[in-house]
């Protein structure tokens, strides 16, 4: 007779010690409250807010004094893409293999995929152009595109051009690469650019907290902080912006440093944003708040935990392969030197390394 014994249930004394790994019993697979989508009421409220952009009241809120100049021009420690920069000099924008001729660019009828449109509205391409052109070479190109954008969007806020994260990225890249867009001797054009910088800051003051929790809201508040340090008379905005940025970081980044969306691309974007804000403090010779450095010291190890042996990122959450050089450049810009995070408590990615072998595991609960 085959004597099979039923397994003896573990006694309470055999249970794993919660203190051993810091995870409470019964909480090893949990959903995070903030990973749910917007409720119906939130969607309706957001829709009404977007409709309010077309009202005279919103336009009046964006009016005010425009700065005669910027207080400083921050450094951009993240290098641009030389290939994309050379393409701009050759007469077309290059984005993930897609092309858009500069001379036929029409911001009123931008028939491009959303990410490409965001790339143009956020003026991220200024970084690429700056990597291959001097001010004398790049300014005429940048000013030409700038005039096209201002003609359509300077006075009429609309999505996606004035979406909070796009507006914040645009403000950061406009100010960081100001020599490319403010070298003109045309005083009317210069005034229009500076006025739009100020309008963008006022727009962010009212829309940052309405951006989705996570990277979009962090970017929006980062733009407010940058504006407070680069536009004259920003003392009150600085207090307001730093408080908002801290709230956005606390809500959008887990305690272990992982971004709420769990996307490696969003993680890189968050590190780049925080590094650019830190550069603004540096150029103004003001100490950055402690929470900013703390956020960088947590997000960089989390990003490195998804790096393969060659330094490139793993393809998670719809992300494609990322060049190791780009990962290294963004980490270098953060000025954080750290080892990869080995055990993520909240982010969900686990990393096991032995010799030249790296094993990455997405151990988060299903959606």
């Amino acid at each position: 007779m085959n004597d099979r014994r039923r397994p003896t249930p573990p006694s309470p004394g055999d249970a794993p010690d919660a203190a051993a790994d810091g995870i409470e019993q019964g909480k090893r697979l949990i959903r995070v409250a903030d990973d749910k989508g917007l409720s119906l009421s939130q969607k309706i409220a957001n829709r009404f807010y977007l409709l309010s952009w077309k009202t005279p009241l919103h336009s009046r809120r964006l009016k005010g004094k425009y700065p005669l100049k910027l207080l400083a021009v921050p450094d951009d420690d993240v290098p641009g893409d030389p290939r994309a920069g050379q393409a701009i000099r050759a007469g077309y924008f290059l984005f993930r293999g897609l092309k858009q001729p500069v001379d036929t660019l029409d911001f009123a009828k931008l028939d491009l995929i959303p990410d490409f449109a965001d790339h143009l509205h956020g003026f991220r391409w200024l970084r690429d152009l700056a990597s291959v052109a001097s001010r004398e070479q790049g300014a005429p190109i940048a000013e030409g595109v700038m005039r096209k954008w201002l003609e359509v969007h300077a006075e009429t806020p609309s999505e996606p051009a004035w979406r909070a994260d796009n507006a914040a990225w645009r403000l950061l890249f406009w100010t960081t690469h100001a020599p490319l867009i403010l070298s003109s001797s045309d005083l009317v054009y210069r005034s229009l650019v500076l006025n739009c910088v100020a309008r963008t800051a006022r727009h962010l003051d009212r829309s940052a907290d309405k951006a989705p929790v996570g990277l979009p809201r962090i970017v929006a508040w980062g733009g407010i902080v940058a504006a407070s340090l680069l536009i004259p008379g920003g003392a009150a905005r600085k207090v307001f912006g730093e408080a908002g940025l801290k709230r956005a970081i606390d809500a959008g980044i887990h305690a272990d440093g992982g971004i709420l969306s769990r996307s490696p691309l969003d993680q890189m974007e968050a590190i780049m944003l925080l590094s650019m804000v830190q550069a603004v403090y540096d150029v103004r010779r003001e100490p950055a708040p402690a929470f900013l450095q703390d956020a960088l010291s947590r997000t960089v190890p989390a990003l490195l935990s998804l790096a393969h042996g060659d330094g490139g990122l793993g393809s998670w959450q719809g992300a494609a392969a990322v060049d190791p050089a780009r990962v290294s450049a963004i980490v270098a810009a953060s000025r954080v030197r750290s080892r990869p995070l080995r055990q993520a408590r909240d982010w969900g990615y686990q990393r096991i390394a032995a010799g030249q072998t790296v094993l990455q595991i997405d151990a988060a609960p299903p959606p």
Side-chain angles (χ1 to χ4, degrees), residues 251-268:
I253 297 178
H254 294 300
D256 57 14
I259 195 77
L260 194 65
S261 66
R262 305 185 64 246
S263 166
L265 296 182
D266 285 357
Q267 189 78 10
M268 283 202 312

Side-chain angles (χ1 to χ4, degrees), residues 78-203:
V78 179
D81 181 353
R83 185 163 171 259
Q86 292 291 1
I88 296 173
R89 294 191 64 184
Y92 60 92
F93 291 102
L94 182 64
F95 180 80
R96 298 177 187 173
L98 301 176
K99 296 181 180 180
Q100 167 60 52
V102 175
D103 57 353
T104 61
L105 181 64
D106 184 358
F107 282 103
K109 301 176 182 178
L110 208 56
D111 187 18
L112 299 170
I113 63 172
D115 286 352
F116 199 170
D118 290 346
H119 179 75
L120 295 178
H121 285 305
F123 279 72
R124 294 166 176 253
W125 51 269
L126 286 174
R127 170 184 285 162
D128 302 328
L129 181 60
S131 69
V132 297
S134 63
R135 181 172 64 176
E136 292 74 16
Q137 295 169 332
I141 302 172
E143 289 177 10
V145 178
M146 187 73 178
R147 289 177 186 273
K148 290 185 177 185
W149 190 91
L150 292 172
E151 183 180 357
V152 176
H153 294 294
E155 298 294 331
T156 310
S158 63
E159 286 202 335
W162 284 80
R163 198 179 66 222
D165 54 338
N166 274 343
W169 282 123
R170 183 167 60 249
L171 189 147
L172 282 164
F173 281 104
W174 276 354
T175 53
T176 301
H177 297 281
L180 289 178
I181 61 172
L182 284 172
S183 294
S184 175
S185 58
D186 184 344
L187 297 182
V188 175
Y189 162 77
R190 286 174 56 87
S191 298
L192 183 57
V193 172
L194 291 170
N195 185 35
C196 200
V197 171
R199 284 171 61 86
T200 301
R202 297 186 196 106
H203 176 76

Side-chain angles (χ1 to χ4, degrees), residues 264 268 303-316 320-328 351 358 360:
M268 283 202 312
L303 176 68
L304 294 177
S305 70
L306 293 182
H308 290 298
D310 64 353
L313 287 186
S315 299
W316 300 101
V322 179
D323 184 65
R326 177 158 180 78
V327 178
S328 298
R351 176 187 178 91
V358 176
Q360 298 173 354

